[in-house]
Amino acid sequence: MRRYSMRQYELVERVTRYNPAADEGLLNKAYVYAMQKHGSQLRASGDPYFSHPLEVAAILTDLRLDDATIAVGLLHDTIEDTDATRSEIDELFGEDIGRLVEGLTKIKKLDLVSKKAAQAENLRKLLLAISADVRVLLVKLADRLHNMRTLQYIPVGRRVPIAEETLEIYAPLAGRMGMHDMREELEDLAFTVVNPEARETIVHRLSELGAKQEELIRQIETDLSQRFDERGITATITGRQKRPYSIFRKMERKAISFEQLSDIFGFRVIVPSIDECYTAVGVIHTTWPSVPGRFKDYISTPKQNEYHSIHTTVIGPRHQRVELQIRTEAMDRVAEYGIAAHALYKDGVALKIGKGHPSDGDAPRLAGFNADVRAYEWLRRTIEMLAEGDTPEEFLEHTKLELFQDQVFCFTPKGRLIALPRGATPIDFAYAVHTDVGNSCVGCRINGRQMPLTSELRNGDEVSIDRSEGSTPQPAWENVVVTGKARSAIRRGSRAAVRISNGVITFILGLY
Ligand code: MN
């Protein structure tokens, strides 16, 4: 049997290095369980299947996520692809982990549907499916990243749709969650598949500039650190070339050629304090002339996803435009890891989105921020924004998203997705599943809890319908349903029931 890329103790070590309080027993148990469940299954690459969840877990350790999320990474394909069940996972790992693994199973089912349906709709469904716990989404992104890294083993014909979906849904999602490294890697991997010629051209042009650029980058770094030294600022300066895909996008968006593209590389200046951010900007602007309209202060006015930084563009040496981002280390962590930067908590505090979460008050503060950054609030806001599509321009066009403003998406216990108009009740749900289910419906459970049939369903609800053979629809239901299908079925059903009872009455009268 082939060796996995990482041994059990190596994975555990990776976690304990950043989280000494991690539950090693949990990690070991998840490792062994997933390995045994996947058994002799193979990946398209010929590797043992287990190498995939293991790599996904490794990506999650790069994001420094909590031990439960790492365990979910290991377990994420078990319900879907092996004989593992939700109840078995609940029993072995607790309900929390069971719910997360099930969330990933639901998304995987959406992946299968997505081939036919419109992307925007899938995006929305996906978001709703995960909006209960952002860790599901983090694992899904790690899963997609590993699948993109190993896309060369997938038959050619299937690569393009996967890469397109990555560009349209997962990369923007990673970006929206503030995970820029993840976004860039997903984009570049997908770009290679979707438009290899364009990428090749850009890579070629970049390499032509190569030596010249390197020299220029070094010169700017030297100039800046000298000036910073004079002012007593300890700064870490890193210069880098932009990624081919972001160059391509910029060329497309602005309809310009590579030659017209002025700022293909940027610098990051990391300083110890906020005060020094502003001093550094002063130093930069007195060293080179700044480009009007390019100065943005996201420290005094942070972006909605808590991104803090100062941006400016200057005309640097050799009249080259140079983009600079200035921030503190804490801000940089948020900029790099986004949501994941907040995701490691002591005392097993879960990263959950939901109303009235008990840990709301315990959100950790990020050192170096002048604002009181409340991670949970931010997460909730982000997820709400994603789910509501408030600022859809970064995703898909407005019109596509508007189509879904008035819908709710719910699941059957088996994970089938049922789309209903807003205001729909479990009765509508039952009829949407099947007329027989509607007609024989007597009660329901929403997310495992017994609820009235008149309850209004909410996005992401899992609805299980209790049925009783021989029962008939109540005429009063007509007033609580919103779908035409339910309404007409109720009319037909209760008319039939009335006829039967009239028949019985006639029969009884006849006896007398
Ligand atoms: Mn997977």
Side-chain angles (χ1 to χ4, degrees):
M1 196 167 148
R2 284 166 81 166
R3 278 258 188 79
Y4 304 119
S5 51
M6 197 191 326
R7 319 266 197 85
Q8 191 170 341
Y9 73 88
E10 286 174 304
L11 178 73
V12 174
E13 262 179 25
R14 281 174 83 132
V15 179
T16 51
R17 219 174 292 147
Y18 63 81
N19 179 12
D23 183 350
E24 293 185 34
L26 169 69
L27 296 170
N28 285 321
K29 203 160 66 170
Y31 187 105
V32 172
Y33 181 82
M35 186 175 67
Q36 285 173 348
K37 283 292 173 188
H38 287 294
S40 57
Q41 290 174 352
L42 295 179
R43 291 269 288 171
S45 60
D47 285 331
Y49 193 90
F50 181 62
S51 64
H52 165 66
L54 190 54
E55 284 302 322
V56 170
I59 292 169
L60 295 165
T61 65
D62 289 339
L63 298 171
R64 300 163 66 92
L65 288 164
D66 69 321
D67 41 20
T69 310
I70 309 297
V72 172
L74 290 167
L75 299 170
H76 81 272
D77 279 331
T78 53
I79 296 184
E80 181 70 15
D81 296 336
T82 77
D83 62 4
T85 60
R86 163 81 196 267
S87 58
E88 195 175 69
I89 289 175
D90 277 4
E91 216 170 280
L92 286 166
F93 302 98
E95 244 177 80
D96 235 23
I97 289 180
R99 199 167 23 80
L100 295 171
V101 177
E102 192 170 56
L104 282 146
T105 313
K106 283 177 183 170
I107 297 182
K108 195 155 182 188
K109 285 179 180 154
L110 295 182
D111 280 352
L112 301 177
V113 185
S114 73
K115 305 292 178 292
K116 296 168 242 160
Q119 297 283 20
E121 187 173 0
N122 294 313
L123 165 69
R124 180 140 296 230
K125 287 173 181 172
L126 169 80
L127 295 172
L128 298 169
I130 55 82
S131 57
D133 194 320
V134 76
R135 289 178 296 180
V136 173
L137 189 51
L138 292 168
V139 177
K140 183 63 200 177
L141 286 171
D143 177 46
R144 178 52 61 114
L145 182 58
H146 183 244
N147 286 334
M148 287 303 297
R149 283 179 184 169
T150 51
L151 201 62
Q152 71 269 27
Y153 300 109
I154 299 293
V156 182
R158 278 173 51 209
R159 286 181 209 165
V160 172
I162 295 173
E164 279 173 345
E165 193 184 58
T166 300
L167 278 181
E168 282 170 40
I169 295 176
Y170 292 100
L173 204 53
R176 181 56 80 86
M177 291 169 81
M179 303 160 77
H180 297 292
D181 286 358
M182 168 93 75
R183 177 191 187 136
E184 287 186 340
E185 190 177 349
L186 285 172
E187 280 175 349
D188 262 358
L189 290 166
F191 190 31
T192 315
V193 175
V194 172
N195 201 339
E197 295 85 6
R199 185 173 185 278
E200 199 45 52
T201 312
I202 291 171
V203 170
H204 183 68
R205 291 294 187 81
L206 284 174
S207 73
E208 278 179 350
L209 287 172
K212 257 199 294 182
Q213 293 268 73
E214 296 249 316
E215 201 185 300
L216 193 61
I217 288 177
R218 208 130 320 131
Q219 192 192 336
I220 293 168
E221 279 175 4
T222 322
D223 284 3
L224 274 181
S225 30
Q226 215 170 351
R227 299 282 182 126
F228 287 150
D229 277 350
E230 288 163 18
R231 296 291 297 267
I233 304 171
T234 342
T236 316
I237 306 158
T238 43
R240 58 171 213 149
Q241 215 167 52
K242 287 194 178 158
R243 298 276 198 128
Y245 186 71
S246 74
I247 293 177
F248 175 72
R249 213 174 27 201
K250 201 161 193 174
M251 285 165 64
E252 269 205 330
R253 200 174 52 222
K254 300 195 168 167
I256 51 175
S257 68
F258 189 84
E259 285 72 21
Q260 292 171 288
L261 208 62
S262 48
D263 36 9
I264 44 177
F265 56 107
F267 285 81
R268 197 163 289 165
V269 179
I270 312 291
V271 293
S273 70
I274 290 170
D275 280 354
E276 282 155 301
C277 288
Y278 290 100
T279 316
V281 173
V283 171
I284 292 162
H285 284 178
T286 49
T287 306
W288 297 295
S290 65
V291 177
R294 296 296 301 268
F295 178 80
K296 286 184 192 100
D297 186 350
Y298 296 119
I299 291 179
S300 75
T301 317
K303 284 195 187 179
Q304 212 160 7
N305 62 7
E306 282 304 332
Y307 175 83
H308 288 63
S309 198
I310 293 174
H311 291 188
T312 189
T313 303
V314 296
I315 314 277
R318 281 184 236 155
H319 301 289
Q320 183 75 49
R321 273 159 71 126
V322 178
E323 230 177 55
L324 294 119
Q325 301 176 346
I326 303 109
R327 53 191 182 234
T328 67
E329 222 161 282
M331 294 173 191
D332 192 49
R333 228 169 18 243
V334 173
E336 293 259 313
Y337 297 117
I339 277 182
H342 298 292
L344 180 66
Y345 300 101
K346 291 179 285 183
D347 311 317
V349 176
L351 193 61
K352 261 184 257 173
I353 316 297
K355 289 192 184 84
H357 192 259
S359 58
D360 279 354
D362 308 327
R365 293 183 60 144
L366 295 171
F369 275 59
N370 56 351
D372 187 8
V373 177
R374 298 191 58 196
Y376 290 105
E377 248 183 45
W378 166 50
L379 287 176
R380 182 173 310 144
R381 230 187 313 131
T382 307
I383 295 293
E384 272 168 10
M385 207 166 62
L386 289 169
E388 306 289 330
D390 268 352
T391 46
E393 69 280 359
E394 279 180 47
F395 273 117
L396 304 162
E397 316 128 52
H398 196 60
T399 46
K400 276 191 198 167
L401 285 167
E402 257 180 358
L403 292 173
F404 307 103
Q405 297 288 13
D406 49 358
Q407 291 196 50
V408 286
F409 296 97
C410 302
F411 295 99
T412 68
K414 284 184 179 157
R416 190 177 143 202
L417 210 121
I418 307 290
L420 294 162
R422 213 164 266 286
T425 62
I427 304 168
D428 290 296
F429 181 92
Y431 278 106
V433 173
H434 196 278
T435 310
D436 290 345
V437 176
N439 283 338
S440 59
C441 136
V442 290
C444 72
R445 271 163 298 143
I446 300 175
N447 303 319
R449 285 183 49 210
Q450 203 75 47
M451 295 293 279
L453 281 170
T454 50
S455 316
E456 187 176 321
L457 292 174
R458 286 185 314 199
N459 273 322
D461 279 348
E462 185 184 293
V463 186
S464 147
I465 299 292
D466 300 328
R467 300 171 61 184
S468 165
E469 283 313 319
S471 83
T472 51
Q474 309 286 315
W477 286 357
E478 232 191 285
N479 304 317
V480 296
V481 298
V482 297
T483 53
K485 182 178 181 187
R487 189 165 295 130
S488 56
I490 291 164
R491 266 185 216 144
R492 255 181 286 123
S494 47
R495 242 187 268 128
V498 169
R499 265 202 307 279
I500 293 167
S501 52
N502 281 344
V504 173
I505 291 165
T506 318
F507 175 71
I508 293 170
L509 289 175
L511 280 179
Y512 283 88

